[in-house]
Amino acid sequence: DGYAECSDCHNPHSLEIRTERCDTCHGNVKGQADLKNIRYIGSMTDYYGDGNMSEGIYYEIEGFKATLYSAILAYAANVVGVPIGYDSHSYPYFFTDANANGVIDPSEANYGNRYTSFTPRLLRACYNFQVVQKDPGGFAHGGKYLIELLYDSTEDLNSMIGGAVSMAGMHRGDEGHFDGSTEAWRHWDEDGEVPGRCARCP
């Protein structure tokens, strides 16, 4: 209660997070660095599949980003036939990896070398990767949605590269009643309310 507006958590002028207010719900937050270690009680799924369910959602997303990027590289090289690379500090971010060394060298990070061989599938994946990359607070504002974007994009590219990128143990959603995207949650959308017989949880 009392946390419904952006300014309830952020300084309205600097946008800096008011970490002194976080420990209302998150007792382990003492400063900015601790925010990345938050894991909501309704996120008890090992999304990335690394066996760690105590790490913050931030780290789950970082794992997915690395996996999607691997899939992007593999798809561009093996399906499109034109290697791609990413540089987060140079517009338009995706470039042709001319020497196919897996990184964008300073000489390659220029607008004239922008990647122009996108297929619709690759463009969607790169767009989703960029959305997550450029939202530094996404793990707090919509971490589960970002996980879905990364998972879906990786799965889509993987379907064309023979599963070259391992997704073993990865999960897109939550278990049981915490999975807000499933039929159990969406069944009564058209009705506008959930019948009392189906809302018995305290």
Side-chain angles (χ1 to χ4, degrees):
D1 290 341
Y3 292 88
E5 310 251 346
C6 300
S7 58
D8 292 332
C9 296
H10 293 267
N11 180 298
H13 303 290
S14 69
L15 298 183
E16 185 176 359
I17 298 171
R18 297 170 167 172
T19 53
E20 71 278 3
R21 298 185 178 189
C22 298
D23 66 2
T24 301
C25 299
H26 306 290
N28 63 330
V29 174
K30 305 303 178 192
Q32 294 281 337
D34 297 326
L35 297 172
K36 294 179 179 179
N37 298 318
I38 293 175
R39 192 179 190 98
Y40 178 61
I41 193 171
S43 299
M44 297 313 295
T45 295
D46 182 13
Y47 302 101
Y48 185 58
D50 60 358
N52 188 346
M53 284 181 42
S54 62
E55 66 184 353
I57 293 299
Y58 170 86
Y59 298 103
E60 296 271 12
I61 291 171
E62 288 299 298
F64 272 108
K65 277 170 41 181
T67 301
L68 175 56
Y69 188 60
S70 295
I72 288 171
L73 296 182
Y75 179 91
N78 300 318
V79 177
V80 180
V82 180
I84 193 173
Y86 179 80
D87 185 322
S88 63
H89 301 296
S90 301
Y91 180 82
Y93 310 110
F94 288 96
F95 302 93
T96 300
D97 184 10
N99 58 11
N101 67 348
V103 297
I104 294 302
D105 301 316
S107 62
E108 295 172 324
N110 62 79
Y111 188 79
N113 189 47
R114 66 192 182 280
Y115 197 80
T116 59
S117 300
F118 287 106
T119 64
R121 177 174 272 112
L122 181 60
L123 185 61
R124 284 192 301 267
C126 289
Y127 180 88
N128 287 342
F129 180 86
Q130 179 74 342
V131 164
V132 178
Q133 182 75 17
K134 293 299 182 179
D135 187 359
F139 66 95
H141 297 140
K144 292 183 181 182
Y145 177 65
L146 299 189
I147 286 171
E148 291 174 0
L149 286 181
L150 295 167
Y151 182 100
D152 291 351
S153 295
T154 303
E155 185 179 56
D156 189 41
L157 293 179
N158 232 5
S159 70
M160 302 302 293
I161 55 176
V165 176
S166 175
M167 296 184 71
M170 293 183 182
H171 296 278
R172 182 184 189 277
D174 295 293
E175 299 294 331
H177 286 88
F178 290 113
D179 191 352
S181 65
T182 58
E183 166 66 11
W185 281 84
R186 306 269 63 98
H187 187 77
W188 294 280
D189 283 358
E190 293 180 1
D191 299 338
E193 61 182 352
V194 179
R197 71 181 185 280
C198 297
R200 295 176 181 171
C201 294

